[in-house]
Amino acid sequence: MLTLTRISFRQLLLVAFLLIAALLAAVLLRGLYTLEDLVNRSREGAQRAVVLSAQAQGLGELLATMERSARQYLVLDDPALRERFEQAAADARTLLGQLQEHASPTQQSAWQESVDQIHLLLQGPRETVGLRERGVSESFGRLVDLHAALTAQVRAGNEDHNRALQAALDASRTQLGRQVLAAIVVALVLALVFGLWLARPLKRLERAIVALGENRLDEPIEIRGPADVREVGRRLDWLRLRLADIDADKARFLRHVSHELKTPLAALREGVSLFEDGVAGTLTD
């Protein structure tokens, strides 16, 4: 497993970019997932509202068919009308079962009692048609009230579902905003930390190069940091040693030249002094 001292500067820079990109990508994916979830819930809620509204409307239409068929049967005594009533009542019972989420057991029981009462009132002699018709009207009045209450409950349930979805949307928006803000702060902190960490060995390299330029060759160069930066530091220290050797060779060369020129220069100086003193006679022009 690679340690930090074996990782190069470029690898560290790549790791920094990948960490920041991964953080921002995670927040982005989280936002997309939340948005997709809310869209699905909204779509399901809309479909559910449409289905419930259609079922409530269908129940009302079946109730109208039941009432019309029952009243016509009382007048005409046609078995086909009785059969139509029975079929509409069975379909209404099926729809009522599908609406059991909004229809309480008490409402379902009251609905069934009213339908059973209508069944009993449809049977009887012709002489009691008027009395039975009033009873049928009262029973259908109770069914109409039950249907109105059920429709109101369906509407209220849809509104509650919409409010819950809106609350979930607001909560998700707030949470996503906090996550984005936190991700931005963490990304800035990571960028600052990696920037300072990666800039430190570069500063050391700069100081080492300035020291070489100012001929401070007695200070060893040791750069800590990534592997490639430390390798550059070793090369600079090798260059320092080479410059120190060249400077020492220059000093030795100057000492040798000074020593070799010292004796002939002294003889020339002595000869000139003799000429100036007139030892060899007067000098001509």
Side-chain angles (χ1 to χ4, degrees):
M1 183 177 179
L2 291 176
T3 60
L4 290 179
T5 57
R6 296 181 181 179
I7 299 177
S8 66
F9 183 86
R10 287 175 294 181
Q11 290 173 337
L12 282 176
L13 191 61
L14 180 61
V15 168
F17 278 116
L18 288 179
L19 282 177
I20 296 174
L23 177 64
L24 298 179
V27 175
L28 177 61
L29 290 177
R30 172 64 179 173
L32 290 176
Y33 172 78
T34 302
L35 180 61
E36 183 67 21
D37 180 61
L38 290 174
V39 169
N40 290 333
R41 290 173 60 182
S42 178
R43 184 184 301 112
E44 292 173 359
Q47 293 175 352
R48 173 177 172 274
V50 170
V51 170
L52 290 176
S53 299
Q55 290 174 347
Q57 182 179 359
L59 186 61
E61 294 174 355
L62 289 173
L63 181 59
T65 301
M66 290 168 57
E67 184 176 8
R68 184 170 57 252
S69 300
R71 290 180 180 277
Q72 290 176 355
Y73 175 75
L74 287 175
V75 175
L76 301 177
D77 196 18
D78 187 354
L81 297 173
R82 176 69 179 268
E83 183 178 356
R84 184 183 302 171
F85 168 80
E86 298 289 348
Q87 183 63 42
D91 293 341
R93 188 181 306 111
T94 302
L95 273 181
L96 192 64
Q98 295 174 356
L99 290 170
Q100 60 181 354
E101 179 182 351
H102 298 279
S104 65
T106 302
Q107 290 175 322
Q108 294 184 18
S109 177
W111 180 282
Q112 190 59 44
E113 289 177 0
S114 298
V115 173
D116 292 341
Q117 184 66 28
I118 294 172
H119 276 290
L120 293 176
L121 292 173
L122 291 180
Q123 302 173 3
R126 298 292 300 173
E127 293 80 7
T128 61
V129 169
L131 181 61
R132 287 187 289 129
E133 186 176 2
R134 286 195 296 273
V136 167
S137 297
E138 293 175 358
S139 298
F140 274 111
R142 290 192 295 271
L143 289 178
V144 170
D145 293 339
L146 287 173
H147 176 259
L150 184 60
T151 302
Q153 291 174 0
V154 169
R155 187 181 302 110
N158 291 333
E159 292 175 355
D160 292 340
H161 185 271
N162 291 334
R163 283 194 295 269
L165 183 61
Q166 183 64 39
L169 177 62
D170 294 338
S172 298
R173 182 170 58 245
T174 302
Q175 182 181 9
L176 183 61
R178 292 175 180 173
Q179 290 176 351
V180 170
L181 182 60
I184 292 175
V185 172
V186 174
L188 290 176
V189 171
L190 285 176
L192 181 62
V193 169
F194 275 102
L196 293 176
W197 187 25
L198 295 176
R200 188 176 301 173
L202 296 181
K203 289 291 185 181
R204 295 194 185 103
L205 286 175
E206 181 182 0
R207 288 195 297 268
I209 294 173
V210 170
L212 290 179
E214 294 177 353
N215 204 31
R216 298 198 303 269
L217 305 179
D218 55 340
E219 301 176 4
I221 298 175
E222 183 179 359
I223 306 297
R224 296 179 182 179
D228 49 358
V229 175
R230 289 188 291 110
E231 179 63 25
V232 173
R234 286 192 291 268
R235 296 294 181 88
L236 287 176
D237 192 62
W238 172 83
L239 179 60
R240 178 188 67 83
L241 295 176
R242 288 290 298 157
L243 291 176
D245 290 340
I246 293 173
D247 192 65
D249 292 341
K250 181 184 69 174
R252 284 194 298 270
F253 174 75
L254 292 177
R255 286 197 301 271
H256 290 165
V257 170
S258 176
H259 178 71
E260 293 296 332
L261 292 178
K262 186 176 181 180
T263 300
L265 287 176
L268 289 174
R269 186 182 298 112
E270 184 65 25
V272 170
S273 298
L274 291 175
F275 282 123
E276 288 179 348
D277 293 340
V279 175
T282 304
L283 295 178
T284 64
D285 294 337

